[in-house]
Amino acid sequence: LHVGPTIQICQLNIEGISRSKCEYLERLLKKHNVDVLVLEETHIEHTHLFDTYVFSLKTANQHRPSIINVGIEIPVITSTPEPRWNFKKADWETFQKSVDTNIRWIPPTTNAFNRFIGIIKAAAKRSIPRGFRKTYIPCWMEESKALYEEHSLNKNPATATAMLESLNSARRERWKSLVEETNLHSLQQLAYKHRTTIKVDAIASHLIQTSKAPVDKKFQRQVMRQLSTNLMAAPRSSTMSDPFTLNELNAALSATKSGKAAGPDGVYPEFLKPLGPKAKR
């Protein structure tokens, strides 16, 4: 059969693709007049579960070749080294007993809040696993694992396609749930993590320094004294200032959603919802 002009094909096996290697491949194509360069990466087992072939096509004007990924490829995500609580494997009974046992040594006052948080975190460390995965495949489930093992045995393209469709379907459902349930208040953890500690007085001083309005310090002191006097003389609201009841506390905890970000104190909703009777009192 007459198939036209001869096509020069060069096949190589390399480990990783870097800028210097691309420059070398460019010179290789020019020197040997190669039309198609086939690269096979099989050394990086932790990033590719299937053999991935990369075809580098030489353009007519001898520019650097464009790289096209061809074949079945499963991306593996590298996690950030930040430990997370695994609430699904938590021993909540041990957590509750630990908090109730140690809560008796803390008086129920606002000054003891930090001690209360310390007890909760100490109990969480003993009863809730905490860590992170170095690498993982998003939405990799038992079905995907079974299809992958089947493909490893028979090398059937239909099995690989079914596995990828299973992954894509699970990712699509997770994306929909995340978009529908996303709450902007959950971003407060990131904001507090990277925030700079700025006090209200510093903000007021900055506004005074940058504004062109005249400042009367004597008038400011009079206003602050008058405000303090008014607050002290204000009538006490029996409805809003009375201590909340145990039923109100349970109702608030029941309405609290799980899976949300922690506040600046590092306490997650999952820490508060399983508290025992002594801790709630």
Side-chain angles (χ1 to χ4, degrees), residues 1-279:
L1 295 177
H2 179 69
V3 295
T6 303
I7 299 179
Q8 297 287 345
I9 301 177
C10 179
Q11 181 178 5
L12 292 176
N13 189 315
I14 64 175
E15 182 178 359
I17 299 178
S18 61
R19 182 182 182 88
S20 59
K21 291 181 181 179
C22 286
E23 293 175 352
Y24 171 78
L25 296 177
E26 178 186 4
R27 295 193 300 269
L28 184 69
L29 294 178
K30 293 179 180 179
K31 180 179 179 180
H32 298 282
N33 196 23
V34 176
D35 297 296
V36 180
L37 179 62
V38 184
L39 303 181
E40 182 180 0
E41 283 190 284
T42 57
H43 298 281
I44 312 177
E45 298 179 355
H46 65 280
T47 57
H48 297 79
L49 296 182
F50 295 98
D51 294 341
T52 300
Y53 294 87
V54 181
F55 292 79
S56 181
L57 307 180
K58 186 193 71 173
T59 57
N61 54 7
Q62 300 295 325
H63 284 297
R64 179 173 298 171
S66 58
I67 299 176
I68 305 173
N69 292 329
V70 179
I72 302 173
E73 185 176 357
I74 302 177
V76 179
I77 306 301
T78 302
S79 304
T80 55
E82 184 175 349
R84 300 179 63 182
W85 299 99
N86 190 347
F87 295 117
K88 294 182 179 180
K89 297 183 179 181
D91 185 358
W92 293 118
E93 183 178 355
T94 303
F95 174 82
Q96 184 181 113
K97 290 181 178 179
S98 177
V99 175
D100 279 353
T101 301
N102 296 311
I103 198 70
R104 57 180 178 173
W105 307 108
I106 300 179
T109 61
T110 55
N111 295 331
F113 177 75
N114 291 333
R115 295 177 62 187
F116 172 70
I117 297 302
I119 285 179
I120 289 181
K121 291 182 178 180
K125 291 179 181 179
R126 288 192 292 266
S127 56
I128 305 175
R130 190 166 184 252
F132 66 93
R133 297 171 292 182
K134 295 182 179 179
T135 57
Y136 71 97
I137 302 174
C139 301
W140 183 261
M141 298 180 295
E142 292 297 329
E143 180 184 3
S144 306
K145 182 179 179 181
L147 290 172
Y148 168 68
E149 293 176 352
E150 182 180 350
H151 176 270
S152 301
L153 296 175
N154 55 27
K155 302 297 182 182
N156 188 354
T159 306
T161 302
M163 187 205 63
L164 293 179
E165 290 178 352
S166 173
L167 272 178
N168 291 335
S169 177
R171 290 173 183 172
R172 191 181 301 109
E173 293 300 324
R174 177 174 293 185
W175 171 254
K176 287 174 59 178
S177 63
L178 287 176
V179 172
E180 293 173 356
E181 299 175 3
T182 296
N183 189 343
L184 294 179
H185 292 292
S186 63
L187 299 178
Q188 65 178 346
Q189 182 184 21
L190 182 63
Y192 277 109
K193 182 178 180 180
H194 299 283
R195 70 188 177 113
T196 302
T197 303
I198 301 177
K199 297 183 179 180
V200 178
D201 292 342
I203 297 177
S205 300
H206 179 74
L207 292 176
I208 292 174
Q209 293 175 2
T210 56
S211 64
K212 297 181 181 180
V215 178
D216 188 345
K217 294 185 178 180
K218 182 178 179 181
F219 175 74
Q220 286 182 345
R221 288 193 294 270
Q222 292 177 354
V223 171
M224 294 301 296
R225 283 197 297 268
Q226 186 64 37
L227 179 61
S228 178
T229 302
N230 293 340
L231 289 175
M232 295 298 295
R236 181 178 181 272
S237 174
S238 60
T239 303
M240 302 301 296
S241 300
D242 287 343
F244 49 83
T245 63
L246 184 60
N247 292 333
E248 291 175 336
L249 176 61
N250 290 329
L253 292 176
S254 299
T256 303
K257 294 183 178 180
S258 301
K260 299 300 180 181
D265 53 10
V267 176
Y268 290 84
E270 288 82 356
F271 291 168
L272 300 177
K273 300 180 76 172
L275 291 178
K278 293 183 179 179

